Amino acid sequence: MKPKEQAEQMVNEYCMILMNEDTECGNEILCTMIAVKCALVSVNQLQLQAGNQKFGNYLAMQYWLDVEKEIKNYEQ
């Protein structure tokens, strides 16, 4: 999966979780903002895991950095 597709999938999954909850978060803009933050937290954890592997995993780290960049595009 390309980084942009991965970013969209992560944000959309978090957005659907938030929109399906019986909370004040039914507002689509608010849900998207929160989903972006959640996706960034997840990506940061995945980056840490990639960096903590023996000798680091450059390709995995680069992939997750690219995904992070795409997720941040949602914030603009």
Side-chain angles (χ1 to χ4, degrees), residues 50-61:
N52 286 337
Q53 293 176 4
K54 188 175 182 181
F55 304 114
N57 187 335
Y58 175 77
L59 293 177
M61 178 62 87

Side-chain angles (χ1 to χ4, degrees), residues 4-40:
K4 184 173 184 169
E5 295 167 338
Q6 181 68 51
E8 289 173 357
Q9 180 182 358
M10 292 177 79
V11 172
N12 288 336
E13 285 181 16
Y14 280 115
C15 203
M16 291 305 297
I17 291 168
L18 292 165
M19 290 175 74
N20 288 332
E21 290 297 314
D22 187 25
T23 65
E24 297 288 323
C25 189
N27 181 319
E28 188 175 345
I29 294 171
L30 180 59
C31 281
T32 301
M33 290 171 54
I34 295 170
V36 165
K37 301 295 183 196
C38 291
L40 286 171

